[in-house]
Amino acid sequence: SKDEMHPFIYNRINYILPSYTTYVIMASYKLLSDASVCQAFRFAASLPILYIHRTGENIMKKEISSRKKSSSISIKLTLEIFALLFIVCGTLTLISYRQGAKIIQKEATESLAHRASENADNLNRIVQMRKTQIETLARREAITSMDWSIQEPVIIAETERLGFERIQVSDVNGDTHLPGSEVFNLSERGNFQAALAGSTYVNTPVPSDADQQMIMIISSPIINESEEIVGVLGGVILAKQFNQIVADIQIGSTGSAYCIDANGKRIADKDTTTVENFQNDFELYEGQPEYEDYLNIQNKMRNGESGTDRYTLEGTDYLCAYAPVGDTTWSLGLVYPADEALQDVNSLRNSLIAITVFALAAGTLLAFIIAGTFRHPLLAIQGHASQLADGNLTHRIQSRRRDEFGATCHD
């Protein structure tokens, strides 16, 4: 029995050998203990037990070393679930970001293109309104009479009523009358020649001969009752009025608008010096590789095209939309830094990252809790096995679980 053998040897025997072999060794030890034999035989009989003891200790040391090297099941399970969550959440975040970014970019470009078209139409309405005012005035009997004494009081009154800087009347030879001014000749001017040919013409900003202010002249033919062109009526407006309309177009916080004519010359810009200096980007930047994309857009504007494009200047990426201004030869461009235009994309990215991090943190915490529900009963079973290995057959596991772990503990 256990009481007749040293407990240390008994436990090692039970730990190492199958039960039937243990009984044989124990029986041999019992016989050798009771028989009247020499000590040599008893020592010889003890050699197998000593071997078993040392072998058992070596196995136990290996097991303890293995346990130290092995990781906790809760940590393994937590890491595995974290890896799964990372792959799933990362994939979903990437797909969502790409799809969302495409939608936002499409909406941004479409919105900018719509605004360009809308503002170009607004400029065209203003120009058409001014053209209609001059065309209507040119049809009045007092104007078609080509008698300056009759024309002058009408011109003075209509200049104030319509809000023109001044209104002038030219005969077919270009001799021009202006209230409070001497007669001067405009026969060489392109706007006079275009109107004398039968169409109303709006010229781009030019400096006034009188005071060097930038002005725009709307010239319309004067047609009498016989449908003959007998002169040209010109309404002068300050270019800064038109320029202010363009400058007031708001595109985010740093965007801007500008207008060019068919030659690429600036006729309206927030920076008025570009208009006063007749800035032409083709003359300034032609042949410079870094301006190639920008000049391609300018060329499309000169050709009366509409659309959206992107270009990069001095390390900044810009989004540009452009549209022709009605039946004029002008084109309106809206320029917007891409970072600002697509800031919703950055907001979407940051939101998705925050959601992903929160999901990973919450999922990892939940995985650790779930792993704990597996770890605790396994530790209890492991402790019970150790008690049995030490010969404690009375040890019991207290568990209230009703699942497979609970059933194992009760068994």
Side-chain angles (χ1 to χ4, degrees), residues 101-360:
K102 286 181 181 179
I103 294 173
I104 292 174
Q105 289 177 6
K106 183 180 179 181
E107 289 180 350
T109 53
E110 288 180 350
S111 175
L112 194 61
H114 176 72
R115 291 200 60 185
S117 177
E118 188 178 59
N119 283 282
D121 290 342
N122 183 50
L123 287 176
N124 185 55
R125 283 193 295 269
I126 295 172
V127 172
Q128 294 302 322
M129 179 188 71
R130 287 299 194 181
K131 288 174 66 175
T132 300
Q133 290 172 342
I134 292 299
E135 288 172 349
T136 301
L137 182 60
R139 288 283 185 170
R140 289 180 60 170
E141 184 177 352
I143 302 301
T144 59
S145 67
M146 296 305 295
D147 185 341
W148 179 241
S149 62
I150 298 174
Q151 293 173 330
E152 186 175 16
V154 176
I155 293 297
I156 293 173
E158 291 300 310
T159 299
E160 183 178 356
R161 185 180 72 86
L162 298 176
F164 283 90
E165 182 69 14
R166 56 182 178 267
I167 297 178
Q168 57 199 26
V169 180
S170 305
D171 62 20
V172 292
N173 297 317
D175 295 328
T176 304
H177 293 271
L178 184 68
S181 177
E182 295 182 356
V183 177
F184 54 94
N185 192 275
L186 296 177
S187 59
E188 300 298 324
R189 298 293 179 87
N191 60 308
F192 170 80
Q193 294 173 357
L196 197 62
S199 61
T200 302
Y201 180 80
V202 183
N203 73 317
T204 56
V206 293
S208 170
D209 292 335
D211 51 18
Q212 295 301 304
Q213 289 193 89
M214 300 297 290
I215 61 174
M216 300 174 70
I217 304 175
I218 302 173
S219 304
S220 180
I222 300 174
I223 303 175
N224 61 16
E225 294 180 353
S226 302
E227 297 297 322
E228 295 176 343
I229 297 176
V230 293
V232 173
L233 183 68
V236 178
I237 59 176
L238 294 177
K240 65 181 181 181
Q241 296 177 357
F242 179 79
N243 193 83
Q244 190 61 45
I245 296 172
V246 176
D248 286 342
I249 299 174
Q250 294 293 326
I251 311 296
S253 58
T254 59
S256 61
Y258 66 95
C259 197
I260 63 173
D261 63 11
N263 297 318
K265 184 177 69 175
R266 294 285 175 113
I267 61 175
D269 198 310
K270 191 174 183 178
D271 182 5
T272 56
T273 58
T274 61
V275 180
E276 295 169 357
N277 295 331
F278 307 105
Q279 179 174 313
N280 189 315
D281 292 335
F282 287 94
E283 297 175 357
L284 285 175
Y285 307 122
E286 191 172 10
Q288 300 185 33
E290 61 270 25
Y291 286 91
E292 183 178 355
D293 293 337
Y294 172 72
L295 293 180
N296 286 337
I297 296 173
Q298 297 292 95
N299 192 52
K300 292 178 182 179
M301 294 176 66
R302 289 197 308 179
N303 294 332
E305 299 179 28
S306 61
T308 58
D309 275 296
R310 295 181 72 163
Y311 64 92
T312 302
L313 283 180
E314 298 179 354
T316 303
D317 192 19
Y318 293 95
L319 185 64
C320 177
Y322 45 91
V325 181
D327 58 357
T328 69
T329 58
W330 309 340
S331 183
L332 177 70
L334 306 183
V335 180
Y336 203 16
D339 287 343
E340 185 179 351
L342 304 176
Q343 61 182 351
D344 289 341
V345 175
N346 297 329
S347 298
L348 174 64
R349 179 196 60 201
N350 296 336
S351 298
L352 289 174
I353 291 175
I355 293 172
T356 301
V357 170
F358 175 78
L360 287 174

